[in-house]
Amino acid sequence: MSKIPELEAAGDAEAIPDCPDCHKPQPLCICDGIEPIENCISLLILQHPQEQDRALGTARLLALHFKNAVLKIGLSWPSLSKALGRPVHDPSRWAVLYLGSAKVADLDTDRDVVAINRKGEVEDNQRAILKDIEGIVLLDGTWSQAKALWWRNAWMLKCQRVVLGPAKPSAYGKLRREPRRDGLSTIEAAAMLLAALEKRPDIEATLSASFERMLTKYREAQAVMPELAPKQRAKRDYRRRKRA
C-alpha cells in the first residue's frame, strides 16, 4: 500500500493544490510539524522571482519557522529598509551571506562562520563583529539567480559579508546539486548562521529536522508520482551550428 494514497488518483502535478502557507503541493506539505522559533537576530530572505522549485525549495518553509523573518520576492529594492519594510539605521550591522569566490577552507581560520572584507580577507576581531550583527540577508534561488540579486542590490555593499564552512555537504544530496561542495540550501545556511550568531544549537537542530522531514516526504511522494520532481532545464547547445 502506498504511503501517500492521495497521489495515486492524481494524473498531473499541476492539478495538485498547493498549501496556502508553504506553497508546496499538498502531499509535500509539512506545516503541521513546523516548530516556531523565537529569534533575536532578524532574518530577511530575498527570493529571485524565477526560483520556481516548489517541491524542494526551502525559503518559505524557513520563514514560517521564525516570528522575526521577512520573505520578499523580486529582483531589486532601493535599500535594505525598503526590502525589510522598516527603517534600518545601520546596514553595517546586517550580515549578507556572500556568494563570491572566498571559501572558508582557503582562509587562515578555524571558524566555520567567518566575516570577510571586500577583498575576501578575514576581518580582524571576528568575535566583536559577529556579536554586533542584528540581522541577516539570505539570497534564495539557483547560484546564478542569487548572484543576480547580489549585483542588482548595491546597498548590500554596506552590509557585513560572511561566508560559511560547513563540515559536510548539503543534505539535498543528489536531489538538487549544489555548484560547490560548501553550497547549502537556504534553510541549512540559516540554521548554521543563526545558531552560531545566537549561540543556540537548538535553532540548527530544529531547522535540520524540518529539512530532513521535507526531504523524506519528497522521496516518498516521488516514488508514487515522479511528476512532482522539479523539471530539469534544457541545456543550451553551445556548439557551432553547421552551415546549411
Side-chain angles (χ1 to χ4, degrees):
M1 181 178 293
S2 169
K3 293 183 179 180
I4 309 179
E6 64 266 33
L7 290 180
E8 294 179 343
D12 186 3
E14 296 297 326
I16 300 174
D18 290 345
C19 167
D21 295 320
C22 68
H23 291 196
K24 290 187 179 298
Q26 285 285 2
L28 303 181
C29 172
I30 61 167
C31 287
D32 60 342
I34 290 179
E35 182 180 337
I37 301 174
E38 294 278 357
N39 54 315
C40 296
I41 295 176
S42 302
L43 182 62
L44 173 61
I45 309 161
L46 302 180
Q47 186 179 67
H48 193 285
Q50 293 180 356
E51 170 56 67
Q52 299 176 354
D53 191 348
R54 298 183 307 152
L56 288 171
T58 63
R60 195 167 294 273
L61 175 62
L62 170 62
L64 288 172
H65 270 283
F66 292 99
K67 292 185 178 181
N68 187 6
V70 173
L71 170 63
K72 290 289 184 68
I73 301 173
L75 283 174
S76 63
W77 296 264
S79 66
L80 173 56
S81 296
K82 290 291 185 182
L84 189 61
R86 61 175 173 83
V88 176
H89 302 294
D90 188 359
S92 68
R93 294 187 62 187
W94 278 68
V96 59
L97 188 56
Y98 187 56
L99 302 171
S101 59
K103 298 180 182 179
V104 170
D106 298 332
L107 301 175
D108 185 18
T109 179
D110 57 356
R111 292 175 173 270
D112 51 12
V113 176
V114 184
I116 60 172
N117 59 27
R118 292 193 183 188
K119 296 181 180 180
E121 302 166 337
V122 179
E123 292 269 28
D124 294 329
N125 206 353
Q126 288 283 313
R127 182 173 299 179
I129 291 174
L130 297 179
K131 184 180 180 181
D132 204 36
I133 296 298
E134 66 178 32
I136 297 169
V137 180
L138 295 178
L139 308 180
D140 182 71
T142 63
W143 198 257
S144 60
Q145 289 169 354
K147 282 188 173 182
L149 287 170
W150 169 265
W151 290 113
R152 283 175 173 266
N153 293 276
W155 51 264
M156 291 186 195
L157 295 175
K158 299 178 182 179
C159 300
Q160 174 63 57
R161 302 181 188 191
V162 296
V163 290
L164 303 178
K168 56 184 180 180
S170 171
Y172 268 138
K174 295 181 179 180
L175 290 178
R176 184 170 176 174
R177 295 185 181 277
E178 299 292 342
R180 296 176 9 175
R181 187 188 180 281
D182 59 348
L184 298 174
S185 66
T186 302
I187 198 170
E188 289 173 305
M192 185 175 177
L193 192 47
L194 280 168
L197 295 181
E198 295 204 14
K199 301 187 185 306
R200 287 180 54 193
D202 62 292
I203 291 180
E204 187 164 18
T206 298
L207 293 181
S208 296
S210 189
F211 187 41
E212 288 291 349
R213 186 170 175 235
M214 186 200 87
L215 294 177
T216 297
K217 200 156 191 178
Y218 173 81
R219 291 187 179 97
E220 291 175 353
Q222 190 182 36
V224 180
M225 191 176 182
E227 292 90 334
L228 282 174
K231 292 181 174 61
Q232 297 295 324
R233 296 177 182 174
K235 293 183 178 180
R236 293 181 61 183
D237 188 354
Y238 290 95
R239 294 173 297 182
R240 292 182 178 179
R241 295 181 180 179
K242 294 182 180 179
R243 295 180 179 178

